[in-house]
Amino acid sequence: MYEPIRTKPVVHRVGGHHSDGRAGYPHSSRAEALDTQLAGHLAALLAVTDELGLDGAAARIAAQVTRLRGAEPARAARAEVADPAEVADPAGLAALHRRAHDLAGRALVVAASRADTTVAILAAERMDAHAAELNLAGSH
């Protein structure tokens, strides 16, 4: 039906020709890519957790981000973080818990794919905690 291609493709690379076709370009292993992705999800979860004022959970999440990135995560100053008791809008508080639940779920999926039991357990615990808060908020 179709005639096969008989010539090799000509690819010009910046910096010359390379035998493996990838040398000279930044690339990472799957494990490094998963580490980066997991650290990103956890950092986002940390930001929402800080905003909710959950200091104990935030400390545990920050420890895992530090382990994955090799550096302390950037965090908002305590004065910039909202106190849950001071949140006037219950819908806003529920939205934060929903966002945290979603982020913890994403972290759980990536942690499971890289077989990181510690982060998987932490993410599952955070999902349970935020789901419980959503159920309490929904019952009022």
Side-chain angles (χ1 to χ4, degrees):
M1 180 113 179
Y2 294 103
E3 186 173 334
I5 298 172
R6 295 187 178 147
T7 61
K8 290 188 177 191
V10 178
V11 178
H12 298 285
R13 301 205 184 273
V14 176
H17 298 282
H18 301 290
S19 60
D20 70 354
R22 295 184 312 168
Y25 290 93
H27 59 276
S28 60
S29 69
R30 177 167 166 72
E32 291 169 336
L34 288 173
D35 284 352
T36 302
Q37 187 177 24
L38 183 57
H41 290 317
L42 287 175
L45 178 60
L46 177 60
V48 176
T49 304
D50 276 340
E51 195 168 342
L52 286 166
L54 304 172
D55 295 334
R60 292 179 62 207
I61 295 167
Q64 294 305 313
V65 174
T66 301
R67 179 178 63 87
L68 291 165
R69 287 191 176 159
E72 290 283 324
R75 296 174 75 176
R78 189 68 188 139
E80 297 173 23
V81 177
D83 184 359
E86 296 175 5
V87 176
D89 181 20
L93 185 59
L96 284 174
H97 281 292
R98 206 170 5 267
R99 176 86 175 127
H101 183 271
D102 292 346
L103 289 165
R106 291 176 188 163
L108 177 58
V109 169
V110 178
S113 72
R114 66 181 295 277
D116 190 331
T117 308
T118 304
V119 175
I121 291 170
L122 174 61
E125 289 172 356
R126 296 316 313 146
M127 286 182 72
D128 289 345
H130 294 295
E133 286 296 325
L134 287 169
N135 288 336
L136 290 176
S139 67
H140 292 279

